Amino acid sequence: MTEQLKMDAPATDRRLDGMAQGLVGAPLDRPEGPLKVTGTATYADEYRIENLAHGMLVRAPGNSGRVRLANREAVAAMPGVLAVIHDPRLLRNPAQGTANKAPVQDPNEAHYLGQPVALVVAESFEQARHAAQSLEIALEGGAPRPVDPETAAYEPQPAKGVDQGDLDDAMAKATHSIDVTYRTPSHSSAPMEPHASIAQWEGEDLTLRGSYQMLKYNRNELADALGIHPDRVRILAPYVGGGFGSKLGLAPEAVAAAIAAKETGRPVSVALTRPQVFETTMRRSETRQRVRLTVDPEGRLTGIGQAALVSNLPGEVFSEPVLQATHFLYAGENRRLSLDLARVHRLCAGSVRAPGEAVGITVLECAMDELAEAAGIDPVELRRRNIPEKDPESGKEFSSRRFREALDSGAEAFGWKDRPATRSRREGEWWIGYGMASAARINVLKESRARVTLAPDGTARVETDMTDIGTGTYAILGQIAGEMLGLPRESVEVVLGDTDLPAAAGSGGSWGASSSGTSVYVACQAIRAQLAQRLGVAETDLTLRDGQAVFDNRTESLAAILNGDEIVKEGHVLPGETSKAVRQATFGAYFVEVAVNGVTGETRVRRMHGSFAAGRILNAKTARSQCLGGMIFGIGMALTEEMAFDDRDGHLANHNLAEYHIPVNADVPQITVELLEERDDWASPLQAKGIGELGICGAAGAIVNAIYNATGVRVRDFPATLDKVLAGL
Amino acid sequence: MRPFDYHRGTGIEDATRAAAQGSFIAGGTNLIDLMKLEVMAPERLVDINRIEELRGIEATDGGGLRIGALVSNTDLANDPRVRRHWPVLSRALLSGATQQLRNKATTGGNLLQRTRCLYFYDRAMPCNKRAPGTGCGAMEGVNRILAVLGTSEHCIATHPSDMAVAMMALGAEVEIVRASGATERLPLDDLYLLPGDTPERETVLAPGDLIAAVILPAPVEGRQAYRKVRDRASYAFALVSVAAVVAVEEGRISRADLAFGGLAPKPWRNRDVEAALVGQSPSEALFDRAADILLEDARGHGDNEFKIPLARRVLKAVLADLTTGAAA
Amino acid sequence: MQTSLTINGTARELDLDPRTSLLDALRHHLGLTGTKKGCDHGQCGACTALVNGRRVNACLSLLCMHDGDEVTTIEGLGQPGALSPMQQAFVEKDGFQCGYCTPGQICSATAMLEEIAQGWPSHVTEDLEAQPELTIEEISERMSGNLCRCSAYPNIVDAIRKAAGETA
């Protein structure tokens, strides 16, 4: 029995506020925590399956030419080798998030250096690794390929831009203006768990234990890649060791494992090596962004221009949506935003945590800092003056927006008023500076389903193919169900990560919690209605708490009401008119103190604070952790992270964690996070919006702005490594 | 990783004989890394971890220390004598890698670390060190971490050790047992070869030659510092590092033992720099002159050019620290 | 290659390909998958385990080199329902998100408290000869061999301080 909600009208009833269990929003521990801290949560490549064989992918050593396996027979004869697979169904690159079908499959031609073109399967991991390393890939008849986005052919993406008013005229007439060009390099998601799949066939039915974020899409992508019906495919991913976009779409190892398992008649595990994670999963596109901003004498924006160049492999439709939040963050009647997509033979570009805003708002916020200085206005004040009344392009109202409060509250909490003048505060060798930036990220609701079972003993089970990639899904779905059904958290079991369960929105785009949470809410509403019906009262007059129903001054236990029955409901949410009627987004502000070494140019983040508004917070502990994670991604973006491509062949040179520098513990201070109270009735009946990505959407800008305040050095080429700072010191 | 024959060495003689067609393994933190990538592929691994003679830190008659090749980076950094009398060495060790790696990495192995050059590590790339004659991919490629001194037209690799830089400044010697059984001592500086036309040859050691110990000379007067500049606050290789032992007597520099990391294919020591400092009164102009001498032949290759001005700044700051005010 | 060693207090005999790392021996042959493979090259710390009481990267070690050694993995520190104080503190302080680096973090943190107690200095210890204190700076430096891409670092520091009995 499915209960459906199409989100066509704002949920002004705010039912969660009237519930009695007190779970939603509470900073509860993750229920799966004891498994994770003991190493007993089972990730993809950790199932002990009898007769398991091991596969290792083999890469193309160049970016062009027909692929030939030069010594295939010799490798096939190596000790332990079971198969050398060079199947036309092997993926060139992963599927894009929500693609729902297979990406390009072409192991017969090299498109980029690092592309997986073959798989070697052996009895043991050690044998497979050595045999794979022994397989010689010859590339024949290749030709030079464009690898540099700034010189390659590009395709304009007019649907993502806007041209409103006359920006050139605004520039000419402006009291103050800036015209600056920034560059951001490619970033890697670099989740700690490398992508891995174990494939196992029973007849024509495939079970894949994988590390994926969006199982309903991944199932269809896998089935499409293999040429079989999706009903034949089951994917299991109860624990996922981080994703950050890289596990949105099906990756090459899954298809390779499935083909190998079929061919060898054995279950096969294929785990990517760390260099393969870097080379064969998604990169965030590098960007070049020209930003033009103009203000009138009162510091009100009159024009905004952002012209971005991004890149991807030929055949990929994804273009980094750099302008996504620039469209609505600030006022300004003359607007010209444009996006160009260059075609290059570097590894595939796709979603990495907060595609679009992570780089688009970061650069916009650096430009705003430059404008504030040019206009002689405090950076916080400049932003306050330019909060638009309505969406400045569509004219739509904002659903809810505590942007001004985030700016003010964050500034207060941080002590922004003590910001030093540029290059004026020094402690020994260290220059000290403050910087700030706004945060903005679009909010999205996606179709999602969940089944909730209220058992005769008054416990509940939530089941959905939703994933928990560290995002707190196990925690929040249990809290929502417990709140709605009046059950202690311990009385709710949450089962995730299995495509046999109702299909959820998946983890990505910050929509997982509100979408899957709403499906649980809808199912629980239906259960409440049934309980109320049994009691002969209106559902709204029913109070559920601690396994008891309170109504008409009476109290009865759920077990008694159920009388041996169970109630099973499936909740199904669909986005509707509220997604179009208003502008939905999340907002916030970052404040940072840095110390920059006057001798070496090294930067240390000494303090960092974020104030965020993302609708109702479902679990204050896990939400805060998500914000911390985003902000620390921002530290990496600002200071160290860069995929270094060789300009001659487009290969990724630093494809390991020793030289692709994600932040370590010592790079990170004890960051503070403030979550502002907010209800967004348009977003979902939970009044919650996404929070998984908001923390990164501008954070790096605050750091680079702080470096400027400390030293007077404006770094416009991310990351602000010491050599770039030093050049200006 | 290619198959290999594993031999557990029972003594020095047994080990050196067995390693004539193979490679010693101690901590393995670099060798296993490279073997997994088949950048290194010894036919035989001779495990020397059970050889007791290679353990322990002992005082020498001359007031120095004899550090067994198997002494871990942790134990060496923690040794109370080292912390008191050779703090530059403790500091260098503690700035390197992580506690987990220092617990395994050994004194001998640390000296013999291979370069972190990205082209050396990737078998799809040309590299004269890994595959002589294939060319140098790094020269015109991604070379931010690579060398500006002591390079050749065939190789611009850097030596990644921090420990060795401090030992170089301290005038350490290595005790080597040759495959023939002969024992010799040579200055650490003489252990290493510059790339020249044979970048695949990094040391004077022949197959089966074993580093048995490092000898630190007696402590000398002066203040010591190890300053490391890197891209992260921790767990990153040096872009530039300076190990220094500097003494000032009656207003003049009486000692300036200096070694540099991150700049060259080996821990770098230039006696002309030291000679220019000794006997002079500390001043910014003097420090600049020292930097001029150090960097006279320095040559960048694009990405790594920043190391030249950075080395100057770091050297000057270290000299200023050690000649005035509080020790770093 | 015949290897005898003790793992979490239990004597084990293994006869494996000499190329087998300690990490792969644990994960592929002993079913002890709590020790994680994050990079397999000593660049992330997810495989941190204790060998003879010291934390090491299990990926950069061959099983055959550990004959006679005592190995403690995350499974040996505590189990669900009987968590060690460090494990409990990680749960309470949300010192993880996806959980993949977590066993390595906890093994590392457990060893680290002992190292500080024994007076081991670190890169940020001001006086090499003084007893180091359990400051945030010391914890952060000493835990920098364990990468966490979910970036739970501030919570990891809080968890360690809590486990050590400090106010966090």
Side-chain angles (χ1 to χ4, degrees):
Chain A
M1 280 215 287
T2 299
E3 198 72 21
Q4 193 181 85
L5 171 71
K6 189 155 179 280
M7 197 61 197
D8 281 330
T12 51
D13 55 3
R14 300 190 179 178
R15 292 297 308 279
L16 282 173
D17 286 326
M19 296 293 152
Q21 192 63 31
L23 290 179
V24 165
L28 302 186
D29 297 344
R30 292 167 201 262
E32 80 284 13
L35 298 180
K36 286 179 173 174
V37 300
T38 53
T40 49
T42 310
Y43 297 81
D45 198 28
E46 299 180 344
Y47 290 85
R48 296 195 85 185
I49 295 174
E50 207 172 326
N51 213 23
L52 184 69
H54 296 264
M56 183 67 75
L57 287 165
V58 181
R59 82 211 269 229
N63 66 25
S64 157
R66 290 206 49 85
V67 171
R68 187 170 61 83
L69 276 50
N71 60 344
R72 182 175 189 157
E73 282 69 36
V75 170
M78 287 176 71
V81 172
L82 300 168
V84 178
I85 289 167
H86 179 59
D87 186 293
R89 293 171 295 177
L90 290 174
L91 304 188
R92 179 186 73 166
N93 51 261
Q96 298 289 347
T98 73
N100 222 24
K101 60 181 194 210
V104 173
Q105 296 168 278
D106 187 11
N108 289 311
E109 188 184 345
H111 297 262
Y112 61 96
L113 200 157
Q115 176 188 338
V117 293
L119 180 84
V120 179
V121 189
E123 290 286 348
S124 76
F125 171 74
E126 290 75 19
Q127 289 168 332
R129 181 176 57 192
H130 175 50
Q133 286 165 324
S134 304
L135 186 62
E136 290 166 24
I137 304 296
L139 298 178
E140 295 170 342
R145 306 263 217 180
V147 296
D148 177 3
E150 301 217 15
T151 55
Y154 62 86
E155 300 154 13
Q157 307 290 308
K160 291 188 176 173
V162 70
D163 196 350
Q164 176 180 309
D166 188 338
L167 182 63
D168 292 329
D169 184 58
M171 287 290 288
K173 291 177 180 159
T175 311
H176 301 283
S177 68
I178 56 141
D179 181 349
V180 291
T181 298
Y182 279 76
R183 285 178 174 78
T184 61
S186 274
H187 302 130
S188 182
S189 294
M192 295 313 299
E193 181 204 16
H195 300 56
S197 289
I198 296 178
Q200 189 171 18
W201 292 86
E202 277 179 50
E204 296 307 306
D205 291 322
L206 172 65
T207 300
L208 189 101
R209 291 174 169 82
S211 186
Y212 285 101
Q213 298 178 222
M214 297 195 159
L215 303 192
K216 75 176 174 194
Y217 300 105
N218 304 135
R219 171 159 75 167
N220 291 339
E221 290 152 4
L222 181 54
D224 187 34
L226 296 170
I228 62 175
H229 194 278
D231 288 350
R232 295 288 186 189
V233 177
R234 182 183 185 190
I235 299 181
L236 298 170
Y239 296 101
V240 178
F244 317 110
S246 73
K247 296 169 181 171
L248 289 175
L250 195 76
E253 96 292 335
V255 175
I259 293 169
K262 192 72 179 171
E263 188 165 325
T264 60
R266 294 175 57 170
V268 173
S269 150
V270 180
L272 297 186
T273 65
R274 181 53 64 174
Q276 288 171 343
V277 174
F278 276 100
E279 288 184 344
T280 73
T281 71
M282 296 301 187
R283 67 181 169 98
R284 189 199 300 286
S285 174
E286 72 296 306
T287 71
R288 184 188 67 200
Q289 302 181 47
R290 180 187 180 196
V291 182
R292 286 180 288 173
L293 299 172
T294 63
V295 281
D296 67 14
E298 282 75 48
R300 284 189 299 260
L301 282 162
T302 53
I304 296 183
Q306 193 167 11
L309 175 70
V310 301
S311 74
N312 210 339
L313 270 172
E316 289 297 310
V317 294
F318 178 88
S319 57
E320 180 77 21
V322 175
L323 312 167
Q324 201 154 252
T326 306
H327 285 299
F328 59 82
L329 181 57
Y330 296 124
E333 58 273 28
N334 302 292
R335 311 175 75 86
R336 192 186 302 161
L337 310 182
S338 65
L339 185 69
D340 293 327
L341 174 62
R343 293 298 184 185
V344 296
H345 289 263
R346 292 181 176 181
L347 65 96
C348 193
S351 295
V352 174
R353 200 173 197 169
E357 288 90 332
V359 282
I361 294 303
T362 292
V363 167
L364 177 66
E365 289 302 291
C366 289
M368 284 291 280
D369 201 64
E370 298 206 41
L371 180 68
E373 167 145 84
I377 302 172
D378 176 87
V380 174
E381 182 55 28
L382 177 66
R383 286 156 174 92
R384 292 176 92 260
R385 285 183 202 176
N386 287 288
I387 298 173
E389 199 178 316
K390 296 178 180 176
D391 183 307
E393 293 175 14
S394 69
K396 291 175 185 172
E397 301 280 352
F398 286 90
S399 57
S400 69
R401 180 182 49 163
R402 299 198 69 198
F403 180 27
R404 188 183 305 273
E405 294 85 341
L407 287 165
D408 290 348
S409 180
E412 176 69 26
F414 178 82
W416 178 252
K417 63 180 188 329
D418 300 326
R419 185 173 76 127
T422 306
R423 198 181 168 98
S424 69
R425 188 176 296 173
R426 189 149 178 163
E427 296 176 11
E429 278 183 359
W430 298 88
W431 293 102
I432 311 301
Y434 292 5
M436 62 81 54
S438 302
R441 174 70 173 160
I442 57 162
N443 184 65
V444 176
L445 183 74
K446 286 277 189 182
E447 181 177 6
S448 202
R449 294 171 185 265
R451 180 168 59 232
V452 179
T453 303
L454 184 61
D457 64 356
T459 62
R461 187 167 68 250
V462 176
E463 296 167 299
T464 163
D465 83 348
M466 184 62 191
T467 50
D468 187 330
I469 62 172
T471 36
T473 313
Y474 281 109
I476 59 151
L477 295 190
Q479 284 171 267
I480 292 166
E483 188 72 72
M484 293 296 291
L485 301 177
L487 300 175
R489 179 63 189 84
E490 305 74 53
S491 298
V492 184
E493 182 192 7
V494 179
V495 183
L496 303 177
D498 179 349
T499 51
D500 277 359
L501 301 176
S507 301
S510 291
W511 63 60
S514 62
S515 303
S516 69
T518 297
S519 67
V520 171
Y521 169 93
V522 169
C524 291
Q525 271 283 43
I527 293 173
R528 288 177 59 91
Q530 193 150 332
L531 290 171
Q533 194 180 11
R534 284 182 176 227
L535 296 168
V537 297
E539 185 269 322
T540 45
D541 291 338
L542 189 61
T543 299
L544 299 178
R545 186 173 57 225
D546 292 331
Q548 311 274 322
V550 183
F551 56 100
D552 292 345
N553 294 323
R554 287 162 53 198
T555 298
E556 200 162 332
S557 75
L558 287 181
I561 301 167
L562 289 164
N563 193 24
D565 298 335
E566 65 172 18
I567 303 176
V568 184
K569 295 287 181 186
E570 184 169 308
H572 179 200
V573 61
L574 291 158
E577 290 303 314
T578 63
S579 295
K580 303 168 208 153
V582 288
R583 166 60 72 182
Q584 293 185 28
T586 53
F587 297 88
Y590 314 92
F591 296 85
V592 173
E593 176 183 333
V594 298
V596 182
N597 191 282
V599 173
T600 63
E602 292 163 288
T603 297
R604 299 282 182 264
V605 176
R606 299 218 299 195
R607 290 197 296 138
M608 192 169 192
H609 172 83
S611 288
F612 302 107
R616 186 194 302 275
I617 299 303
L618 300 171
N619 177 320
K621 184 178 288 192
T622 56
R624 174 179 170 274
S625 292
Q626 286 280 287
C627 293
L628 288 177
M631 291 164 79
I632 295 166
F633 259 66
I635 293 177
M637 263 181 75
L639 301 180
T640 56
E641 288 186 41
E642 172 172 21
M643 294 176 97
F645 291 96
D646 188 314
D647 292 339
R648 297 165 296 182
D649 57 11
H651 92 274
L652 174 66
N654 59 341
H655 57 204
N656 62 55
L657 289 169
E659 296 299 337
Y660 181 86
H661 288 138
I662 72 170
V664 299
N665 203 316
D667 290 310
V668 178
Q670 293 304 91
I671 296 171
T672 55
V673 173
E674 176 188 28
L675 300 169
L676 297 171
E677 274 291 319
E678 187 180 38
R679 301 282 183 269
D680 193 324
D681 299 333
W682 297 82
S684 73
L686 309 177
Q687 291 82 35
K689 294 189 275 194
I691 200 162
E693 298 168 309
L694 183 58
I696 189 179
C697 299
I703 295 167
V704 172
N705 293 341
I707 291 173
Y708 176 78
N709 179 247
T711 62
V713 179
R714 194 67 84 174
V715 177
R716 297 194 183 95
D717 182 12
F718 282 77
T721 45
L722 60 93
D723 46 310
K724 295 172 194 165
V725 177
L726 205 55
L729 274 179
Chain B
M1 189 182 290
R2 282 190 221 165
F4 53 83
D5 165 40
Y6 174 79
H7 177 84
R8 193 169 289 147
T10 55
I12 289 178
E13 198 185 326
D14 167 67
T16 52
R17 198 171 44 232
Q21 283 89 38
S23 182
F24 298 112
I25 186 162
T29 53
N30 191 208
L31 181 55
I32 294 173
D33 170 30
L34 290 165
M35 285 173 65
K36 284 182 178 180
L37 298 167
E38 298 195 4
V39 171
M40 292 180 75
E43 288 172 19
R44 172 182 285 176
L45 270 193
V46 179
D47 183 349
I48 58 173
N49 283 293
R50 311 301 161 116
I51 303 176
E52 284 305 314
E53 302 139 86
L54 299 174
R55 298 197 168 276
I57 307 173
E58 292 154 22
T60 64
D61 292 343
L65 290 180
R66 181 182 183 280
I67 303 158
L70 286 180
V71 171
S72 71
N73 287 180
T74 293
D75 288 342
L76 185 55
N78 287 354
D79 187 277
R81 294 162 291 185
V82 176
R83 281 148 80 173
R84 171 156 297 177
H85 300 296
W86 297 274
V88 62
L89 180 54
S90 274
R91 289 290 182 197
L93 284 159
L94 294 171
S95 75
T98 68
Q99 190 62 62
Q100 290 98 307
L101 290 162
R102 294 192 295 271
N103 282 344
K104 280 212 83 206
T106 64
T107 302
N110 187 306
L111 292 176
L112 299 179
Q113 279 182 83
R114 310 298 304 276
T115 183
R116 306 301 302 194
C117 175
L118 299 166
Y119 296 81
F120 173 71
Y121 260 80
D122 189 340
R123 290 198 309 147
M125 295 296 132
C127 172
N128 288 322
K129 186 185 285 294
R130 174 173 33 78
T134 55
C136 173
M139 199 83 69
E140 291 170 13
V142 176
N143 57 37
R144 185 166 192 277
I145 60 174
L146 298 181
V148 295
L149 288 169
T151 59
S152 75
E153 60 184 313
H154 304 293
C155 185
I156 57 171
T158 34
H159 192 274
S161 174
D162 293 297
M163 181 196 81
V165 177
M167 286 179 170
M168 192 76 92
L170 292 169
E173 294 180 311
V174 283
E175 186 182 303
I176 294 167
V177 181
R178 296 287 187 182
S180 63
T183 298
E184 43 183 285
R185 267 164 76 155
L186 68 164
L188 182 56
D189 208 2
D190 295 347
L191 174 68
Y192 297 107
L193 301 172
L194 287 176
D197 294 334
T198 54
E200 72 279 13
R201 292 207 60 209
E202 296 174 350
T203 69
V204 298
L205 300 178
D209 289 355
L210 177 70
I211 293 177
V214 171
I215 314 293
L216 284 189
V220 295
E221 285 298 308
R223 293 156 71 181
Q224 305 183 12
Y226 187 74
R227 182 155 184 176
K228 176 175 179 176
V229 182
R230 49 184 158 176
D231 276 329
R232 288 194 289 216
S234 189
Y235 205 0
F237 292 94
L239 295 168
V240 170
S241 72
V242 180
V245 183
V246 176
V248 180
E249 279 175 31
E250 293 171 3
R252 291 182 184 276
I253 295 171
S254 57
R255 173 181 292 277
D257 300 341
L258 303 168
F260 301 86
L263 294 179
K266 60 185 243 180
W268 194 253
R269 188 163 179 178
N270 181 337
R271 306 275 174 172
D272 293 343
V273 175
E274 301 171 22
L277 291 164
V278 171
Q280 307 295 316
S281 302
S283 72
E284 187 170 3
L286 177 69
F287 301 158
D288 261 318
R289 203 150 66 239
D292 289 344
I293 296 167
L294 173 71
L295 299 165
E296 196 176 355
D297 297 324
R299 185 174 154 237
H301 298 84
D303 293 350
N304 68 347
E305 273 164 24
F306 72 96
K307 286 188 173 185
I308 299 171
L310 179 61
R312 171 180 299 272
R313 298 173 77 105
V314 178
L315 171 60
K316 286 173 63 181
V318 168
L319 290 172
D321 270 353
L322 294 185
T323 55
T324 58
Chain C
M1 188 75 208
Q2 192 74 29
T3 310
S4 308
L5 72 172
T6 304
I7 298 175
N8 299 329
T10 304
R12 300 277 198 166
E13 293 273 343
L14 290 158
D15 188 10
L16 300 176
D17 186 326
R19 292 175 290 181
T20 311
S21 69
L22 174 59
L23 174 61
D24 289 329
L26 293 169
R27 288 174 64 82
H28 295 163
H29 299 281
L30 294 168
L32 292 170
T33 54
T35 310
K36 303 301 184 191
K37 183 182 284 192
C39 72
D40 217 15
H41 287 275
Q43 300 163 355
C44 78
C47 65
T48 302
L50 310 179
V51 174
N52 302 328
R54 288 193 173 187
R55 50 174 162 157
V56 300
N57 302 98
C59 72
L60 287 186
S61 211
L62 300 172
L63 176 75
C64 57
M65 296 167 69
H66 289 285
D67 197 62
D69 283 348
E70 289 202 16
V71 176
T72 304
T73 68
I74 188 70
E75 292 92 343
L77 293 182
Q79 285 293 316
L83 301 182
S84 76
M86 187 65 78
Q87 289 169 322
Q88 183 63 39
F90 267 69
V91 172
E92 288 174 21
K93 294 293 179 183
D94 215 29
F96 57 90
Q97 294 198 58
C98 80
Y100 198 76
C101 74
T102 313
Q105 299 276 0
I106 290 171
C107 284
S108 209
T110 302
M112 185 204 71
L113 291 184
E114 184 57 30
E115 292 157 10
I116 289 191
Q118 289 180 19
W120 294 15
S122 85
H123 171 61
V124 300
T125 307
E126 226 156 88
D127 180 350
L128 278 181
E129 296 189 68
Q131 170 63 35
E133 287 169 33
L134 199 65
T135 61
I136 289 171
E137 196 189 10
E138 284 280 6
I139 294 171
S140 289
E141 161 61 22
R142 290 166 191 263
M143 290 301 293
S144 283
N146 293 83
L147 304 188
C148 172
R149 187 53 155 169
C150 298
S151 302
Y153 299 129
N155 293 350
I156 289 168
V157 170
D158 284 345
I160 293 169
R161 296 179 83 203
K162 180 180 170 64
E166 310 273 321
T167 49

